[in-house]
Amino acid sequence: MMGKLAPASSGPALAPISPFRELGAYEALWLEQGASFKTLAERFASDPTALPSDFVPSGVAEEKAREVTTILHAAGVNRFGVRINHAGDYPARLRAARHPVELLYYQGEWELSELPSIAIVGSRKASDDGVRRAQRLARAFVDRGYAVVSGLAEGIDIAAHRAAIERGGRTIAVIGTPLGTVYPRPHAEMQAFIAAEHLLISQVPVLRYRAQKVPQNRLFFPERNITMSALTEATVIVEAGETSGTLTQARAALHQGRKLFILDSCFQRSDITWPAKYAALGAIRVREIDDIWGALG
């Protein structure tokens, strides 16, 4: 963990890696004109052994790292960690994302990321039936030893997190804001609880988020769904509208070779066509929970 930043860790790299310097370098790269997950992924793909600090002067990297830690500490984030590609416990499965991230921030127990896990996602404006379905699924996954992963949004996400916790299980929240920033605000207490007792992950660069206006920062939310899919063995969509951001995760799961489950109730709606489209692409229709267990083996 960092807060006071953890000591340099070593991994596959030839020399010790300074998390502090890599954090600052990654933040500096995000401040460049036109930087995006796509452009940064392309830069690192061109040199698969590169670290963020290979592209940023050390003085700049350390300056930006100090700015980030000052901002996070002011937001009450006094202990946090980072995971860096090529170093230590960075999850190799995240490389399955179309534009994989080089650095993640986290709070809580990183070891939870090593558990078998399933994402439960769906509409922010969830129906009562949808909420109950999410809760039942979360409880069932906990009973089978899975960590329940979701995005801490309204509706399906928060129902899944709460049900997993109430069942005595473990939950992981992948958020679309930096650490120390809460959206939606009513979930501040739950975010703090997950950060302290479970695992909270963010891939959102602190300085870029702070420099942008709200409309641009909304683009971080669908990108976190891609990471959420890569982190897990499978995604279950409980319910979602025709233009829901949840479908970003559906596309990602199929692209990454993850299992994609869609509840039967989605297929029964006459106002949407996406369930049939994704079923044709390989998604699994879930009429009963044994359909999930059978597909997972």
Side-chain angles (χ1 to χ4, degrees):
M1 293 282 285
M2 297 180 171
K4 293 183 176 177
L5 290 155
S9 60
S10 60
L14 297 177
I17 293 172
S18 163
F20 186 79
R21 188 178 303 118
E22 298 307 330
L23 179 165
Y26 193 62
E27 291 276 349
L29 291 174
W30 265 103
L31 291 175
E32 293 180 355
Q33 185 69 30
S36 67
F37 287 106
K38 181 177 185 292
T39 63
L40 291 185
E42 288 172 347
R43 178 181 291 196
F44 284 96
S46 68
D47 185 353
T49 65
L51 291 162
S53 61
D54 291 325
F55 301 113
V56 177
S58 61
V60 173
E62 292 182 8
E63 175 191 350
K64 297 306 177 188
R66 286 192 292 271
E67 289 180 27
V68 168
T69 53
T70 297
I71 291 168
L72 292 180
H73 289 170
V77 179
N78 295 310
R79 285 184 59 80
F80 66 94
V82 295
R83 285 292 175 256
I84 307 156
N85 189 26
H86 302 311
D89 293 332
Y90 177 95
R93 58 189 176 278
L94 291 185
R95 307 315 290 174
R98 189 180 300 274
H99 305 306
V101 296
E102 299 300 311
L103 183 145
L104 294 169
Y105 291 93
Y106 74 93
Q107 290 178 278
E109 296 182 44
W110 182 255
E111 293 75 14
L112 298 188
S113 69
E114 300 169 4
L115 294 176
S117 61
I118 301 178
I120 300 175
V121 295
S123 299
R124 286 180 167 85
K125 299 186 182 300
S127 67
D128 290 343
D129 283 343
V131 167
R132 285 191 287 270
R133 291 183 183 110
Q135 292 168 336
R136 285 197 297 270
L137 285 167
R139 291 192 289 266
F141 294 155
V142 166
D143 290 348
R144 288 270 183 142
Y146 287 91
V148 172
V149 181
S150 202
L152 206 59
E154 294 174 322
I156 298 302
D157 288 20
I158 192 68
H161 288 304
R162 283 178 175 147
I165 292 167
E166 290 166 2
R167 194 68 160 193
R170 311 316 302 268
T171 194
I172 300 171
V174 184
I175 58 174
T177 61
L179 297 184
T181 301
V182 179
Y183 183 86
R185 288 300 307 170
H187 293 178
E189 185 176 348
M190 178 59 78
Q191 181 164 316
F193 180 79
I194 291 174
E197 303 294 334
H198 295 267
L199 177 59
L200 183 76
I201 295 174
S202 173
Q203 64 187 32
V204 181
V206 175
L207 301 181
R208 173 67 173 268
Y209 190 92
R210 191 180 177 91
Q212 288 186 159
K213 303 297 183 184
V214 170
Q216 289 76 38
N217 282 334
R218 287 183 182 140
L219 298 176
F220 287 119
F221 283 90
E223 292 290 344
R224 66 87 188 271
N225 285 88
I226 296 170
T227 293
M228 199 191 309
S229 171
L231 189 66
T232 55
E233 295 182 29
T235 288
V236 183
I237 300 179
V238 177
E239 62 181 20
E242 199 71 19
T243 59
S244 173
T246 299
L247 301 186
T248 298
Q249 188 154 337
R251 290 188 292 272
L254 293 174
H255 172 262
Q256 296 160 1
R258 305 297 192 260
K259 300 289 187 186
L260 174 62
F261 297 104
I262 303 172
L263 296 197
D264 187 55
S265 52
C266 296
F267 290 89
Q268 295 175 6
R269 289 174 54 179
S270 60
D271 61 327
I272 55 176
T273 61
W274 68 262
K277 170 186 172 184
Y278 284 99
L281 295 172
I284 299 164
R285 184 171 182 167
V286 178
R287 293 180 173 86
E288 54 187 36
I289 198 161
D290 282 347
D291 295 331
I292 294 178
W293 306 139
L296 290 175

